[in-house]
mmCIF file of all heavy atoms in Angstrom:
data_model
loop_
_atom_site.group_PDB
_atom_site.id
_atom_site.type_symbol
_atom_site.label_atom_id
_atom_site.label_comp_id
_atom_site.label_asym_id
_atom_site.label_seq_id
_atom_site.Cartn_x
_atom_site.Cartn_y
_atom_site.Cartn_z
ATOM 1 N N TYR A 1 -10.355 -4.051 8.716
ATOM 2 C CA TYR A 1 -9.702 -2.895 8.108
ATOM 3 C C TYR A 1 -8.260 -2.718 8.590
ATOM 4 O O TYR A 1 -7.395 -2.284 7.822
ATOM 5 C CB TYR A 1 -10.547 -1.633 8.318
ATOM 6 C CG TYR A 1 -10.213 -0.767 9.504
ATOM 7 C CD1 TYR A 1 -9.419 0.361 9.350
ATOM 8 C CD2 TYR A 1 -10.718 -1.039 10.767
ATOM 9 C CE1 TYR A 1 -9.126 1.185 10.426
ATOM 10 C CE2 TYR A 1 -10.436 -0.223 11.848
ATOM 11 C CZ TYR A 1 -9.634 0.893 11.671
ATOM 12 O OH TYR A 1 -9.343 1.698 12.735
ATOM 13 N N ILE A 2 -7.947 -3.098 9.826
ATOM 14 C CA ILE A 2 -6.565 -3.029 10.294
ATOM 15 C C ILE A 2 -5.717 -4.064 9.567
ATOM 16 O O ILE A 2 -4.588 -3.777 9.122
ATOM 17 C CB ILE A 2 -6.489 -3.248 11.812
ATOM 18 C CG1 ILE A 2 -7.065 -2.032 12.548
ATOM 19 C CG2 ILE A 2 -5.050 -3.488 12.255
ATOM 20 C CD1 ILE A 2 -6.317 -0.733 12.291
ATOM 21 N N ALA A 3 -6.240 -5.270 9.418
ATOM 22 C CA ALA A 3 -5.497 -6.313 8.710
ATOM 23 C C ALA A 3 -5.218 -5.887 7.273
ATOM 24 O O ALA A 3 -4.127 -6.125 6.747
ATOM 25 C CB ALA A 3 -6.281 -7.622 8.728
ATOM 26 N N GLY A 4 -6.196 -5.252 6.637
ATOM 27 C CA GLY A 4 -5.995 -4.804 5.263
ATOM 28 C C GLY A 4 -4.854 -3.811 5.148
ATOM 29 O O GLY A 4 -4.027 -3.898 4.239
ATOM 30 N N ARG A 5 -4.793 -2.874 6.084
ATOM 31 C CA ARG A 5 -3.708 -1.881 6.074
ATOM 32 C C ARG A 5 -2.364 -2.556 6.351
ATOM 33 O O ARG A 5 -1.341 -2.203 5.753
ATOM 34 C CB ARG A 5 -3.984 -0.790 7.109
ATOM 35 C CG ARG A 5 -5.226 0.041 6.821
ATOM 36 C CD ARG A 5 -5.458 1.086 7.888
ATOM 37 N NE ARG A 5 -4.439 2.124 7.855
ATOM 38 C CZ ARG A 5 -4.481 3.188 7.073
ATOM 39 N NH1 ARG A 5 -5.494 3.350 6.236
ATOM 40 N NH2 ARG A 5 -3.524 4.092 7.112
ATOM 41 N N LEU A 6 -2.371 -3.528 7.253
ATOM 42 C CA LEU A 6 -1.135 -4.229 7.568
ATOM 43 C C LEU A 6 -0.637 -5.037 6.369
ATOM 44 O O LEU A 6 0.565 -5.033 6.064
ATOM 45 C CB LEU A 6 -1.358 -5.150 8.769
ATOM 46 C CG LEU A 6 -0.147 -5.965 9.224
ATOM 47 C CD1 LEU A 6 0.987 -5.049 9.669
ATOM 48 C CD2 LEU A 6 -0.554 -6.917 10.348
ATOM 49 N N ILE A 7 -1.541 -5.722 5.694
ATOM 50 C CA ILE A 7 -1.148 -6.520 4.528
ATOM 51 C C ILE A 7 -0.524 -5.628 3.464
ATOM 52 O O ILE A 7 0.505 -5.975 2.872
ATOM 53 C CB ILE A 7 -2.363 -7.283 3.966
ATOM 54 C CG1 ILE A 7 -2.780 -8.402 4.925
ATOM 55 C CG2 ILE A 7 -2.042 -7.882 2.588
ATOM 56 C CD1 ILE A 7 -4.092 -9.071 4.572
ATOM 57 N N ARG A 8 -1.127 -4.474 3.226
ATOM 58 C CA ARG A 8 -0.581 -3.566 2.210
ATOM 59 C C ARG A 8 0.846 -3.144 2.556
ATOM 60 O O ARG A 8 1.695 -3.009 1.680
ATOM 61 C CB ARG A 8 -1.479 -2.339 2.054
ATOM 62 C CG ARG A 8 -2.733 -2.604 1.234
ATOM 63 C CD ARG A 8 -3.417 -1.296 0.858
ATOM 64 N NE ARG A 8 -3.973 -0.624 2.013
ATOM 65 C CZ ARG A 8 -5.201 -0.815 2.466
ATOM 66 N NH1 ARG A 8 -6.001 -1.672 1.862
ATOM 67 N NH2 ARG A 8 -5.651 -0.145 3.515
ATOM 68 N N GLN A 9 1.103 -2.913 3.854
ATOM 69 C CA GLN A 9 2.447 -2.502 4.249
ATOM 70 C C GLN A 9 3.429 -3.669 4.136
ATOM 71 O O GLN A 9 4.567 -3.499 3.653
ATOM 72 C CB GLN A 9 2.449 -1.970 5.680
ATOM 73 C CG GLN A 9 3.856 -1.691 6.199
ATOM 74 C CD GLN A 9 3.897 -0.667 7.304
ATOM 75 O OE1 GLN A 9 3.128 0.287 7.305
ATOM 76 N NE2 GLN A 9 4.792 -0.851 8.246
ATOM 77 N N LEU A 10 3.025 -4.860 4.564
ATOM 78 C CA LEU A 10 3.942 -5.983 4.620
ATOM 79 C C LEU A 10 4.323 -6.509 3.244
ATOM 80 O O LEU A 10 5.446 -6.990 3.053
ATOM 81 C CB LEU A 10 3.344 -7.114 5.461
ATOM 82 C CG LEU A 10 3.185 -6.821 6.959
ATOM 83 C CD1 LEU A 10 2.594 -8.023 7.669
ATOM 84 C CD2 LEU A 10 4.507 -6.418 7.587
ATOM 85 N N TRP A 11 3.404 -6.411 2.280
ATOM 86 C CA TRP A 11 3.778 -6.978 0.985
ATOM 87 C C TRP A 11 4.832 -6.129 0.266
ATOM 88 O O TRP A 11 5.448 -6.580 -0.692
ATOM 89 C CB TRP A 11 2.574 -7.252 0.115
ATOM 90 C CG TRP A 11 1.929 -6.106 -0.616
ATOM 91 C CD1 TRP A 11 2.513 -5.041 -1.209
ATOM 92 C CD2 TRP A 11 0.529 -5.954 -0.870
ATOM 93 N NE1 TRP A 11 1.591 -4.228 -1.801
ATOM 94 C CE2 TRP A 11 0.351 -4.759 -1.616
ATOM 95 C CE3 TRP A 11 -0.604 -6.692 -0.547
ATOM 96 C CZ2 TRP A 11 -0.893 -4.313 -2.041
ATOM 97 C CZ3 TRP A 11 -1.841 -6.247 -0.982
ATOM 98 C CH2 TRP A 11 -1.979 -5.067 -1.707
ATOM 99 N N GLU A 12 5.031 -4.908 0.758
ATOM 100 C CA GLU A 12 6.088 -4.067 0.206
ATOM 101 C C GLU A 12 7.415 -4.253 0.931
ATOM 102 O O GLU A 12 8.429 -3.669 0.546
ATOM 103 C CB GLU A 12 5.665 -2.596 0.277
ATOM 104 C CG GLU A 12 4.420 -2.271 -0.538
ATOM 105 C CD GLU A 12 3.940 -0.850 -0.330
ATOM 106 O OE1 GLU A 12 4.536 -0.159 0.533
ATOM 107 O OE2 GLU A 12 2.984 -0.436 -1.000
ATOM 108 N N SER A 13 7.408 -5.072 1.988
ATOM 109 C CA SER A 13 8.600 -5.259 2.807
ATOM 110 C C SER A 13 9.467 -6.388 2.253
ATOM 111 O O SER A 13 8.966 -7.488 1.953
ATOM 112 C CB SER A 13 8.200 -5.586 4.251
ATOM 113 O OG SER A 13 9.313 -5.976 5.009
ATOM 114 N N GLY A 14 10.755 -6.133 2.154
ATOM 115 C CA GLY A 14 11.672 -7.165 1.706
ATOM 116 C C GLY A 14 11.885 -8.250 2.737
ATOM 117 O O GLY A 14 12.422 -9.315 2.417
ATOM 118 N N SER A 15 11.461 -8.004 3.996
ATOM 119 C CA SER A 15 11.637 -8.999 5.054
ATOM 120 C C SER A 15 10.491 -10.011 5.091
ATOM 121 O O SER A 15 10.497 -10.925 5.913
ATOM 122 C CB SER A 15 11.744 -8.307 6.415
ATOM 123 O OG SER A 15 10.541 -7.614 6.725
ATOM 124 N N VAL A 16 9.507 -9.858 4.198
ATOM 125 C CA VAL A 16 8.360 -10.762 4.129
ATOM 126 C C VAL A 16 8.294 -11.369 2.730
ATOM 127 O O VAL A 16 8.270 -10.647 1.736
ATOM 128 C CB VAL A 16 7.046 -10.021 4.443
ATOM 129 C CG1 VAL A 16 5.849 -10.950 4.271
ATOM 130 C CG2 VAL A 16 7.080 -9.446 5.855
ATOM 131 N N SER A 17 8.267 -12.694 2.661
ATOM 132 C CA SER A 17 8.231 -13.356 1.355
ATOM 133 C C SER A 17 6.845 -13.873 1.002
ATOM 134 O O SER A 17 6.534 -14.086 -0.177
ATOM 135 C CB SER A 17 9.215 -14.527 1.326
ATOM 136 O OG SER A 17 8.858 -15.517 2.281
ATOM 137 N N TYR A 18 5.976 -14.075 2.042
ATOM 138 C CA TYR A 18 4.680 -14.702 1.777
ATOM 139 C C TYR A 18 3.706 -14.315 2.881
ATOM 140 O O TYR A 18 4.082 -14.269 4.069
ATOM 141 C CB TYR A 18 4.844 -16.226 1.731
ATOM 142 C CG TYR A 18 3.551 -17.005 1.586
ATOM 143 C CD1 TYR A 18 2.945 -17.164 0.350
ATOM 144 C CD2 TYR A 18 2.955 -17.590 2.699
ATOM 145 C CE1 TYR A 18 1.766 -17.888 0.219
ATOM 146 C CE2 TYR A 18 1.775 -18.311 2.589
ATOM 147 C CZ TYR A 18 1.185 -18.459 1.354
ATOM 148 O OH TYR A 18 0.018 -19.169 1.226
ATOM 149 N N ILE A 19 2.459 -14.037 2.496
ATOM 150 C CA ILE A 19 1.400 -13.725 3.455
ATOM 151 C C ILE A 19 0.195 -14.604 3.175
ATOM 152 O O ILE A 19 -0.351 -14.589 2.057
ATOM 153 C CB ILE A 19 0.968 -12.246 3.373
ATOM 154 C CG1 ILE A 19 2.153 -11.316 3.651
ATOM 155 C CG2 ILE A 19 -0.160 -11.962 4.368
ATOM 156 C CD1 ILE A 19 1.857 -9.848 3.372
ATOM 157 N N LEU A 20 -0.215 -15.384 4.163
ATOM 158 C CA LEU A 20 -1.437 -16.170 4.093
ATOM 159 C C LEU A 20 -2.533 -15.380 4.796
ATOM 160 O O LEU A 20 -2.476 -15.186 6.016
ATOM 161 C CB LEU A 20 -1.249 -17.529 4.754
ATOM 162 C CG LEU A 20 -2.486 -18.432 4.802
ATOM 163 C CD1 LEU A 20 -2.899 -18.865 3.390
ATOM 164 C CD2 LEU A 20 -2.248 -19.643 5.694
ATOM 165 N N ALA A 21 -3.510 -14.897 4.044
ATOM 166 C CA ALA A 21 -4.610 -14.100 4.598
ATOM 167 C C ALA A 21 -5.809 -15.018 4.811
ATOM 168 O O ALA A 21 -6.339 -15.580 3.853
ATOM 169 C CB ALA A 21 -4.971 -12.967 3.643
ATOM 170 N N THR A 22 -6.229 -15.183 6.064
ATOM 171 C CA THR A 22 -7.351 -16.077 6.350
ATOM 172 C C THR A 22 -8.518 -15.308 6.949
ATOM 173 O O THR A 22 -8.344 -14.392 7.748
ATOM 174 C CB THR A 22 -6.953 -17.203 7.328
ATOM 175 O OG1 THR A 22 -6.895 -16.702 8.659
ATOM 176 C CG2 THR A 22 -5.612 -17.814 6.944
ATOM 177 N N ASP A 23 -9.707 -15.689 6.540
ATOM 178 C CA ASP A 23 -10.941 -15.105 7.066
ATOM 179 C C ASP A 23 -12.085 -15.936 6.512
ATOM 180 O O ASP A 23 -11.873 -16.850 5.699
ATOM 181 C CB ASP A 23 -11.082 -13.628 6.659
ATOM 182 C CG ASP A 23 -11.873 -12.817 7.692
ATOM 183 O OD1 ASP A 23 -12.883 -13.337 8.194
ATOM 184 O OD2 ASP A 23 -11.476 -11.683 7.999
ATOM 185 N N ILE A 24 -13.312 -15.589 6.910
ATOM 186 C CA ILE A 24 -14.462 -16.310 6.368
ATOM 187 C C ILE A 24 -14.863 -15.753 5.001
ATOM 188 O O ILE A 24 -15.624 -16.378 4.276
ATOM 189 C CB ILE A 24 -15.663 -16.269 7.330
ATOM 190 C CG1 ILE A 24 -16.063 -14.824 7.654
ATOM 191 C CG2 ILE A 24 -15.343 -17.041 8.607
ATOM 192 C CD1 ILE A 24 -17.303 -14.721 8.523
ATOM 193 N N ARG A 25 -14.337 -14.556 4.660
ATOM 194 C CA ARG A 25 -14.578 -13.977 3.343
ATOM 195 C C ARG A 25 -13.304 -13.275 2.883
ATOM 196 O O ARG A 25 -12.511 -12.830 3.707
ATOM 197 C CB ARG A 25 -15.735 -12.979 3.373
ATOM 198 C CG ARG A 25 -15.482 -11.760 4.235
ATOM 199 C CD ARG A 25 -16.688 -10.848 4.317
ATOM 200 N NE ARG A 25 -16.392 -9.617 5.010
ATOM 201 C CZ ARG A 25 -16.332 -9.486 6.330
ATOM 202 N NH1 ARG A 25 -16.557 -10.539 7.096
ATOM 203 N NH2 ARG A 25 -16.068 -8.324 6.878
ATOM 204 N N PRO A 26 -13.092 -13.177 1.578
ATOM 205 C CA PRO A 26 -11.851 -12.567 1.086
ATOM 206 C C PRO A 26 -11.791 -11.087 1.421
ATOM 207 O O PRO A 26 -12.805 -10.400 1.470
ATOM 208 C CB PRO A 26 -11.929 -12.774 -0.435
ATOM 209 C CG PRO A 26 -12.957 -13.829 -0.650
ATOM 210 C CD PRO A 26 -13.923 -13.698 0.487
ATOM 211 N N PRO A 27 -10.578 -10.555 1.668
ATOM 212 C CA PRO A 27 -10.424 -9.113 1.851
ATOM 213 C C PRO A 27 -10.811 -8.375 0.578
ATOM 214 O O PRO A 27 -10.752 -8.932 -0.527
ATOM 215 C CB PRO A 27 -8.931 -8.946 2.151
ATOM 216 C CG PRO A 27 -8.469 -10.300 2.599
ATOM 217 C CD PRO A 27 -9.315 -11.280 1.856
ATOM 218 N N SER A 28 -11.198 -7.124 0.731
ATOM 219 C CA SER A 28 -11.603 -6.321 -0.430
ATOM 220 C C SER A 28 -10.410 -5.749 -1.176
ATOM 221 O O SER A 28 -10.551 -5.268 -2.297
ATOM 222 C CB SER A 28 -12.519 -5.176 0.021
ATOM 223 O OG SER A 28 -11.863 -4.362 0.971
ATOM 224 N N ILE A 29 -9.225 -5.798 -0.563
ATOM 225 C CA ILE A 29 -8.050 -5.211 -1.201
ATOM 226 C C ILE A 29 -7.564 -6.101 -2.339
ATOM 227 O O ILE A 29 -7.820 -7.300 -2.361
ATOM 228 C CB ILE A 29 -6.904 -4.990 -0.195
ATOM 229 C CG1 ILE A 29 -6.419 -6.332 0.372
ATOM 230 C CG2 ILE A 29 -7.315 -4.053 0.907
ATOM 231 C CD1 ILE A 29 -5.188 -6.225 1.222
ATOM 232 N N GLN A 30 -6.871 -5.496 -3.294
ATOM 233 C CA GLN A 30 -6.281 -6.235 -4.399
ATOM 234 C C GLN A 30 -4.995 -6.889 -3.920
ATOM 235 O O GLN A 30 -4.133 -6.237 -3.350
ATOM 236 C CB GLN A 30 -5.993 -5.288 -5.572
ATOM 237 C CG GLN A 30 -5.716 -5.991 -6.885
ATOM 238 C CD GLN A 30 -6.967 -6.594 -7.498
ATOM 239 O OE1 GLN A 30 -8.069 -6.104 -7.257
ATOM 240 N NE2 GLN A 30 -6.806 -7.663 -8.250
ATOM 241 N N PHE A 31 -4.870 -8.188 -4.153
ATOM 242 C CA PHE A 31 -3.698 -8.906 -3.680
ATOM 243 C C PHE A 31 -2.463 -8.609 -4.513
ATOM 244 O O PHE A 31 -2.544 -8.291 -5.699
ATOM 245 C CB PHE A 31 -3.937 -10.416 -3.732
ATOM 246 C CG PHE A 31 -4.862 -10.927 -2.677
ATOM 247 C CD1 PHE A 31 -5.799 -11.896 -2.978
ATOM 248 C CD2 PHE A 31 -4.804 -10.450 -1.379
ATOM 249 C CE1 PHE A 31 -6.655 -12.390 -2.013
ATOM 250 C CE2 PHE A 31 -5.654 -10.930 -0.409
ATOM 251 C CZ PHE A 31 -6.582 -11.906 -0.722
ATOM 252 N N SER A 32 -1.301 -8.761 -3.873
ATOM 253 C CA SER A 32 -0.038 -8.801 -4.602
ATOM 254 C C SER A 32 0.334 -10.271 -4.774
ATOM 255 O O SER A 32 -0.339 -11.172 -4.257
ATOM 256 C CB SER A 32 1.060 -8.059 -3.835
ATOM 257 O OG SER A 32 1.576 -8.877 -2.802
ATOM 258 N N ASP A 33 1.419 -10.521 -5.471
ATOM 259 C CA ASP A 33 1.847 -11.899 -5.685
ATOM 260 C C ASP A 33 2.277 -12.577 -4.392
ATOM 261 O O ASP A 33 2.326 -13.806 -4.326
ATOM 262 C CB ASP A 33 3.011 -11.935 -6.687
ATOM 263 C CG ASP A 33 2.597 -11.507 -8.085
ATOM 264 O OD1 ASP A 33 1.386 -11.566 -8.368
ATOM 265 O OD2 ASP A 33 3.472 -11.100 -8.868
ATOM 266 N N LYS A 34 2.573 -11.782 -3.367
ATOM 267 C CA LYS A 34 3.011 -12.343 -2.086
ATOM 268 C C LYS A 34 1.863 -12.896 -1.255
ATOM 269 O O LYS A 34 2.091 -13.613 -0.281
ATOM 270 C CB LYS A 34 3.719 -11.269 -1.253
ATOM 271 C CG LYS A 34 5.125 -10.919 -1.671
ATOM 272 C CD LYS A 34 5.714 -9.955 -0.644
ATOM 273 C CE LYS A 34 7.143 -9.571 -0.988
ATOM 274 N NZ LYS A 34 7.720 -8.653 0.027
ATOM 275 N N VAL A 35 0.633 -12.512 -1.588
ATOM 276 C CA VAL A 35 -0.509 -12.782 -0.715
ATOM 277 C C VAL A 35 -1.395 -13.875 -1.301
ATOM 278 O O VAL A 35 -1.764 -13.832 -2.474
ATOM 279 C CB VAL A 35 -1.337 -11.506 -0.479
ATOM 280 C CG1 VAL A 35 -2.455 -11.776 0.523
ATOM 281 C CG2 VAL A 35 -0.443 -10.368 -0.009
ATOM 282 N N GLU A 36 -1.759 -14.824 -0.436
ATOM 283 C CA GLU A 36 -2.704 -15.876 -0.815
ATOM 284 C C GLU A 36 -3.842 -15.889 0.201
ATOM 285 O O GLU A 36 -3.605 -15.836 1.411
ATOM 286 C CB GLU A 36 -2.016 -17.234 -0.847
ATOM 287 C CG GLU A 36 -2.950 -18.381 -1.202
ATOM 288 C CD GLU A 36 -2.262 -19.734 -1.192
ATOM 289 O OE1 GLU A 36 -1.029 -19.767 -1.002
ATOM 290 O OE2 GLU A 36 -2.962 -20.744 -1.366
ATOM 291 N N PHE A 37 -5.078 -15.947 -0.282
ATOM 292 C CA PHE A 37 -6.233 -16.014 0.615
ATOM 293 C C PHE A 37 -6.651 -17.459 0.835
ATOM 294 O O PHE A 37 -6.697 -18.252 -0.096
ATOM 295 C CB PHE A 37 -7.413 -15.229 0.050
ATOM 296 C CG PHE A 37 -8.677 -15.397 0.865
ATOM 297 C CD1 PHE A 37 -8.801 -14.793 2.103
ATOM 298 C CD2 PHE A 37 -9.716 -16.193 0.403
ATOM 299 C CE1 PHE A 37 -9.951 -14.957 2.865
ATOM 300 C CE2 PHE A 37 -10.866 -16.368 1.149
ATOM 301 C CZ PHE A 37 -10.988 -15.743 2.390
ATOM 302 N N ALA A 38 -6.963 -17.785 2.094
ATOM 303 C CA ALA A 38 -7.521 -19.095 2.432
ATOM 304 C C ALA A 38 -8.742 -18.876 3.318
ATOM 305 O O ALA A 38 -8.655 -18.201 4.347
ATOM 306 C CB ALA A 38 -6.490 -19.949 3.152
ATOM 307 N N SER A 39 -9.879 -19.395 2.913
ATOM 308 C CA SER A 39 -11.097 -19.269 3.711
ATOM 309 C C SER A 39 -10.983 -20.154 4.948
ATOM 310 O O SER A 39 -10.777 -21.367 4.839
ATOM 311 C CB SER A 39 -12.310 -19.680 2.872
ATOM 312 O OG SER A 39 -13.489 -19.589 3.642
ATOM 313 N N TRP A 40 -11.093 -19.521 6.106
ATOM 314 C CA TRP A 40 -11.015 -20.271 7.368
ATOM 315 C C TRP A 40 -11.837 -19.581 8.429
ATOM 316 O O TRP A 40 -11.594 -18.423 8.770
ATOM 317 C CB TRP A 40 -9.565 -20.406 7.844
ATOM 318 C CG TRP A 40 -9.413 -21.217 9.100
ATOM 319 C CD1 TRP A 40 -10.202 -22.249 9.511
ATOM 320 C CD2 TRP A 40 -8.413 -21.059 10.123
ATOM 321 N NE1 TRP A 40 -9.751 -22.750 10.709
ATOM 322 C CE2 TRP A 40 -8.667 -22.058 11.102
ATOM 323 C CE3 TRP A 40 -7.322 -20.199 10.276
ATOM 324 C CZ2 TRP A 40 -7.871 -22.188 12.237
ATOM 325 C CZ3 TRP A 40 -6.531 -20.333 11.412
ATOM 326 C CH2 TRP A 40 -6.799 -21.315 12.381
ATOM 327 N N ASP A 41 -12.820 -20.291 8.939
ATOM 328 C CA ASP A 41 -13.577 -19.878 10.109
ATOM 329 C C ASP A 41 -12.819 -20.417 11.317
ATOM 330 O O ASP A 41 -12.738 -21.636 11.510
ATOM 331 C CB ASP A 41 -14.992 -20.460 10.044
ATOM 332 C CG ASP A 41 -15.864 -20.072 11.228
ATOM 333 O OD1 ASP A 41 -15.311 -19.597 12.243
ATOM 334 O OD2 ASP A 41 -17.083 -20.260 11.145
ATOM 335 N N VAL A 42 -12.248 -19.527 12.121
ATOM 336 C CA VAL A 42 -11.374 -19.976 13.205
ATOM 337 C C VAL A 42 -12.112 -20.799 14.260
ATOM 338 O O VAL A 42 -11.470 -21.463 15.079
ATOM 339 C CB VAL A 42 -10.650 -18.792 13.886
ATOM 340 C CG1 VAL A 42 -9.678 -18.141 12.928
ATOM 341 C CG2 VAL A 42 -11.639 -17.800 14.470
ATOM 342 N N THR A 43 -13.442 -20.771 14.252
ATOM 343 C CA THR A 43 -14.175 -21.619 15.194
ATOM 344 C C THR A 43 -14.096 -23.088 14.805
ATOM 345 O O THR A 43 -14.452 -23.957 15.598
ATOM 346 C CB THR A 43 -15.657 -21.202 15.293
ATOM 347 O OG1 THR A 43 -16.314 -21.444 14.043
ATOM 348 C CG2 THR A 43 -15.792 -19.739 15.666
ATOM 349 N N GLU A 44 -13.637 -23.355 13.596
ATOM 350 C CA GLU A 44 -13.466 -24.725 13.118
ATOM 351 C C GLU A 44 -11.987 -25.092 13.166
ATOM 352 O O GLU A 44 -11.128 -24.335 12.715
ATOM 353 C CB GLU A 44 -13.985 -24.871 11.684
ATOM 354 C CG GLU A 44 -15.451 -24.499 11.514
ATOM 355 C CD GLU A 44 -16.387 -25.429 12.270
ATOM 356 O OE1 GLU A 44 -16.009 -26.613 12.472
ATOM 357 O OE2 GLU A 44 -17.470 -24.976 12.674
ATOM 358 N N SER A 45 -11.683 -26.256 13.720
ATOM 359 C CA SER A 45 -10.296 -26.685 13.833
ATOM 360 C C SER A 45 -9.698 -26.970 12.458
ATOM 361 O O SER A 45 -10.327 -27.614 11.611
ATOM 362 C CB SER A 45 -10.210 -27.953 14.693
ATOM 363 O OG SER A 45 -8.870 -28.394 14.801
ATOM 364 N N SER A 46 -8.505 -26.461 12.241
ATOM 365 C CA SER A 46 -7.767 -26.714 11.003
ATOM 366 C C SER A 46 -6.278 -26.776 11.363
ATOM 367 O O SER A 46 -5.506 -25.871 11.060
ATOM 368 C CB SER A 46 -8.030 -25.607 9.974
ATOM 369 O OG SER A 46 -7.375 -25.872 8.751
#
């Protein structure tokens, strides 16, 4: 829930051009064009 609030704030910022959101499941928030989701379990090396 903290990451979701942060993403919403950052995608409105002119100082951020792109956000890669990673987790084992997609966030429930609606993405903006700046945000891309990538499924990643951090216990696995990537």
Side-chain angles (χ1 to χ4, degrees):
Y1 95 98
I2 289 298
R5 296 179 69 85
L6 180 62
I7 290 171
R8 282 193 292 270
Q9 173 156 324
L10 293 180
W11 79 38
E12 298 174 355
S13 171
S15 63
V16 176
S17 63
Y18 175 81
I19 301 171
L20 177 66
T22 77
D23 209 318
I24 57 176
R25 64 184 187 280
S28 58
I29 63 172
Q30 195 73 27
F31 287 140
S32 80
D33 293 339
K34 284 186 179 181
V35 185
E36 179 182 355
F37 174 73
S39 179
W40 183 30
D41 180 345
V42 294
T43 66
E44 302 295 332
S45 179
S46 183

